[in-house]
Amino acid sequence: DAKTTQPPSMDCAEGRAANLPCNHSTISGNEYVYWYRQIHSQGPQYIIHGLKNNETNEMASLIITEDRKSSTLILPHATLRDTAVYYCIVRVGITAGNKLTFGGGTRVLVKP
Amino acid sequence: GAVVSQHPSWVICKSGTSVKIECRSLDFQATTMFWYRQFPKQSLMLMATSNEGSKATYEQGVEKDKFLINHASLTLSTLTVTSAHPEDSSFYICSAHRDPYGYTFGSGTRLTVV
């Protein structure tokens, strides 16, 4: 499985953009990058995913480098409710079970 | 959007008894369901993958006789923790998958074994 590396924690200011980095240097060409977040004692919530192009939805933007070895999740205007653990995950292909294997994640604290 | 219902949300059981956790995809038929376990302040650990009508595939180190997974239909998977012990106390989370719906997680079940 491709492994991901994220900083263990990050603080950001309410109303400002939050940029969450993720390294996945061993990613294969057909493996997607997924981002989920988990608020305390709840199930993970889907944020966004991508293969090689940058993606944007109502929650966030995903910037993937051209070599696909790293990506950045951008929360454009962080709110207090964005405080959570954010997981960057590389989805393995169908022959490996289409699994999502979680790493350590980044604990994001949004401060007023 | 896709919704996964997981029940119960919390359960307390006595040591030595068995507990069943249900995971249902409410508005789509899941190709695959996954079961995770999460200890306090730790990440989610994948326990097993199950496909409808076939035996579950367990991750290394997960006891298949202790954590029984049944995937009877495309919308229902169950995890039974057999002969529970206090060290089995944890947060158990299921996930249902089908493209293009992606991976949708249940709200989790907090198991406490006393």
Side-chain angles (χ1 to χ4, degrees):
Chain A
D1 296 358
K3 302 255 187 277
T4 60
T5 304
Q6 299 177 253
S9 65
M10 174 182 294
D11 291 349
C12 56
E14 186 181 19
R16 304 291 293 271
N19 297 311
L20 282 61
C22 179
N23 285 322
H24 32 78
S25 58
T26 59
I27 194 170
S28 297
N30 61 347
E31 292 177 333
Y32 283 77
V33 178
Y34 279 74
W35 283 83
Y36 279 78
R37 71 180 183 185
Q38 185 180 28
I39 296 170
H40 183 61
S41 294
Q42 296 182 24
Q45 176 190 22
Y46 169 79
I47 301 173
I48 200 166
H49 75 282
L51 182 62
K52 57 177 72 173
N53 297 323
N54 297 337
E55 302 288 344
T56 295
N57 62 22
E58 65 277 4
M59 288 184 69
S61 295
L62 174 61
I63 309 298
I64 302 175
T65 57
E66 195 168 336
D67 63 7
R68 301 188 71 238
K69 293 186 176 182
S70 66
S71 60
T72 301
L73 179 74
I74 301 172
L75 307 178
H77 305 286
T79 71
L80 299 180
R81 286 180 293 183
D82 291 324
T83 291
V85 179
Y86 287 76
Y87 294 99
C88 167
I89 305 162
V90 172
R91 185 186 96 163
V92 297
I94 191 168
T95 56
N98 270 339
K99 299 181 289 189
L100 290 185
T101 302
F102 286 73
T106 297
R107 190 171 297 273
V108 173
L109 176 61
V110 180
K111 296 181 174 180
Chain B
V3 177
V4 170
S5 173
Q6 187 174 341
H7 291 283
S9 55
W10 61 271
V11 58
I12 301 172
C13 72
K14 291 186 177 180
S15 208
T17 62
S18 295
V19 173
K20 181 184 285 188
I21 302 169
E22 284 193 356
C23 179
R24 292 180 184 271
S25 55
L26 298 186
D27 48 5
F28 68 103
Q29 293 182 323
T31 308
T32 310
M33 287 193 175
F34 303 90
W35 287 95
Y36 294 83
R37 179 168 56 179
Q38 185 176 33
F39 292 108
K41 297 194 182 300
Q42 293 187 21
S43 184
L44 283 75
M45 185 193 80
L46 180 64
M47 299 174 67
T49 303
S50 74
N51 295 290
E52 185 256 347
S54 62
K55 288 185 178 179
T57 302
Y58 291 81
E59 295 297 303
Q60 192 171 6
V62 178
E63 300 174 61
K64 61 182 179 182
D65 294 331
K66 181 166 186 64
F67 299 101
L68 300 180
I69 292 172
N70 183 277
H71 194 158
S73 74
L74 288 172
T75 60
L76 173 64
S77 177
T78 61
L79 167 69
T80 301
V81 182
T82 63
S83 187
H85 288 100
E87 56 264 33
D88 297 324
S89 298
S90 189
F91 191 53
Y92 292 87
I93 307 168
C94 70
S95 173
H97 167 66
R98 185 188 183 101
D99 288 325
Y101 303 101
Y103 298 79
T104 305
F105 287 79
S107 54
T109 297
R110 178 138 337 260
L111 170 64
T112 302
V113 184
V114 298

